[in-house]
Every structure is written in C-alpha cells, then in structure tokens.
Amino acid sequence: MTIQSNKTTTLTYYTGLLSVLFAAFLWGTAGTAASFAQGISPIVIASLSVCLGGLIHASLSFRAIKNNAFKLANHKTKIGIAVIVSILCPFAFYNSVALAGVSVGTVVSIGCAPLFSVLLEWFFDKRKLSVQWLISFILGFTGIIFLCFSGEHAPQAPVTTSQHIIGIFFGLVSSFSYASYSWTMKNLIHTGIDSRAAMGVIFGISALILLPTLFITATHLFDHPANIWVALYIPVVPMFLGYLFFSFGLKRIPASQAMTLALVEIPVATLLAVLLVGERLNINGYFGLILIFLCVVVLTKK
C-alpha cells in the first residue's frame, strides 16, 4: 500500500513538473511569434492575447466560476487588482520585446519577477528580506544596466537608444505586473477559491474590458496573412494553453517551485530570438543576461 502510494505521489509530482515546463516553453514562443506580425502595434497583439485567450479561459471555467461565485464576490478588490495587472502585463511585455528585442524583453520581463515577488511578500506579508535577496537584487540590477547598453543592433543603429531603454522599462513594468498577478492569485487560492474560477473571472473581465478597443485598434489586422496566424497563435497557445498547463501543474507542485521552473521561458525565448528572428547581442548584452540568470539562481537557491 505504501509503495503504491509513493508511486502515485511521484507520478503526480512529475506530471505537475512537466506541465509547468511545457507551459514555460509555450510562453517562450510568444515574443518570437509577435515579431512576425506586420503593420500592427504591440497594443493590438496584447489586446488580442487578452481578449481571445481570456474569453476561452472564462467559457471553460464557467462551472467553476458559478460554484465559487459567493467567494469571488467577497474578494472584489483583489480581483480588481488582478484584472488591472493582467491587462498591463501583456501590454508592457509586447511593447518591451518590440523596442528592446525578444531576448532582452523576455529576460527582463520574466527574470526580474522573482525579485518583485519577494518585495511584495516583504511589504504585504511582512516577510523579512534576506542577504540572499540583497545579493540577487544587486546582480539583477547590474544586469539590467548592462542590458540598457546592449541588444540587437543593425550597423546603422547606435548601441544605446532611448527606445531600447524604454523597452527595458516596459519589461520591468511587465515583470512587476506578472509578480502582482501571481501574488494576488496565490492569496485568492489560499482563501479557498478554485484556481480555475479565479483565473476565469480575472481573464474574462479583462477580455470584456478590452474587446471594444479591437474595433478601433485592429483595423489593419487582415492586411497581411502572417497577422492572422499571429492573432490565432498568441491567444490560443501561449495565453490559453500556457496558463492551462501552468494551472494544472500548480496543483501538483509547490507554487515557489512552479515559478522557478517557469523561468525556462527565458532560454527558450532567447534561443528562438537568435535562431528565428536573427537577433544579435553584443558583449554587454550577454554579460547582462548572465547576471540576471545568476540573480535568479541565487534567489531560488535554498
């Protein structure tokens, strides 16, 4: 009996682990997919991601939302905050990859999220900041400084541009939004709300808020055939399937471990940016990426 129980527990753990890794891989393709869009702004791509992906999540979570309606109604403030940051995160992310490049934008957006997560826990949950966090912050901040003087540059473009720095700023906004969403979701789940219900409500409300804007901003969506594939791929694959697998894995492994495994998105995005988009980083860029990677390693090391 004990042996059978251990086997079931091990299988459940590895199923969750593989689910989170697969979600991270899907998320890592988002920036590269967005780079193939022609004639549409990052704002349109973000709106499509939130609207279509959010409506799919909400429709499939309808029963869970109905069963958790009373609990959800008691946490309107947290849900409202989650809606705001869930809208802000993709807007900032796709602007970041458009201005700073896929690899740099993704590294800043995802790699700095654990730092912001610790800060949120320190401020709201009164968790003490450790020397480990201070070291990781110094590494991460230094890495961002180096990334400000790097990125993909054509010969005619200067090494440092205002757009590149603004792109990194958007990456930090995306990172903070992602950390805020994760922290809020964690608190909602800890109150006994089903994760599918919370996710469905948050993404559903976000979708309904942004849906009218597509009629104004997405007027050139069908000008190029590639845009149609981008418009379908990003909401369905990274937004819907990515969060679906992440939520599935989150039930089977600790949340802290899930967020750490999700950082696999960084090398996936960087590799795809180099192989498919043709991005090139200078020495400052590679050094900045290494520092942020070390920042993550230090922060997640037990």
Side-chain angles (χ1 to χ4, degrees), residues 44 210-220:
V44 175
L210 289 180
L211 191 59
T213 66
L214 287 177
F215 295 99
I216 301 173
T217 60
T219 54
H220 299 290

Side-chain angles (χ1 to χ4, degrees), residues 46-91:
S47 298
L48 287 168
S49 173
V50 174
C51 289
L52 299 184
L55 290 176
I56 295 172
H57 273 293
S59 60
L60 294 180
S61 304
F62 180 77
R63 181 175 294 181
I65 294 172
K66 185 178 179 180
N67 294 336
N68 290 261
F70 182 76
K71 293 180 181 179
L72 290 167
N74 289 332
H75 296 86
K76 297 185 185 71
T77 301
K78 290 181 180 178
I79 291 173
I81 293 173
V83 167
I84 292 172
V85 296
S86 67
I87 292 174
L88 186 60
C89 183
F91 272 84

Side-chain angles (χ1 to χ4, degrees), residues 55 61 110 113 127 146 234 236:
L55 290 176
S61 304
I110 304 302
R127 178 181 174 181
F146 274 92
I234 288 180
V236 174

Side-chain angles (χ1 to χ4, degrees), residues 92-108:
F93 173 75
Y94 288 111
N95 274 286
S96 179
V97 298
L99 295 171
V102 175
S103 55
V104 173
T106 303
V107 168
V108 175

Side-chain angles (χ1 to χ4, degrees), residues 11-162:
L11 180 62
T12 300
Y13 171 79
Y14 281 108
T15 301
L17 185 146
L18 291 174
S19 296
V20 172
L21 286 176
F22 187 61
F25 173 80
L26 296 180
W27 288 338
T29 66
T32 297
S35 68
F36 289 100
Q38 302 178 45
I40 56 176
S41 69
I43 294 177
V44 175
I45 296 174
S47 298
L48 287 168
S49 173
V50 174
C51 289
L52 299 184
L55 290 176
I56 295 172
H57 273 293
S59 60
L60 294 180
S61 304
F62 180 77
R63 181 175 294 181
I65 294 172
K66 185 178 179 180
N67 294 336
N68 290 261
F70 182 76
K71 293 180 181 179
L72 290 167
N74 289 332
H75 296 86
K76 297 185 185 71
T77 301
K78 290 181 180 178
I79 291 173
I81 293 173
V83 167
I84 292 172
V85 296
S86 67
I87 292 174
L88 186 60
C89 183
F91 272 84
F93 173 75
Y94 288 111
N95 274 286
S96 179
V97 298
L99 295 171
V102 175
S103 55
V104 173
T106 303
V107 168
V108 175
S109 298
I110 304 302
C112 294
L115 291 174
F116 287 121
S117 295
V118 174
L119 279 177
L120 288 171
E121 290 177 353
W122 166 73
F123 187 81
F124 291 105
D125 301 335
K126 308 305 178 184
R127 178 181 174 181
K128 293 183 179 180
L129 296 178
S130 62
V131 175
Q132 181 182 6
W133 182 89
L134 179 61
I135 294 173
S136 66
F137 173 78
I138 294 173
L139 289 171
F141 182 78
T142 307
I144 291 171
I145 296 297
F146 274 92
L147 285 177
C148 288
F149 298 90
S150 67
E152 181 197 12
H153 301 285
Q156 68 273 17
V159 173
T160 304
T161 65
S162 58

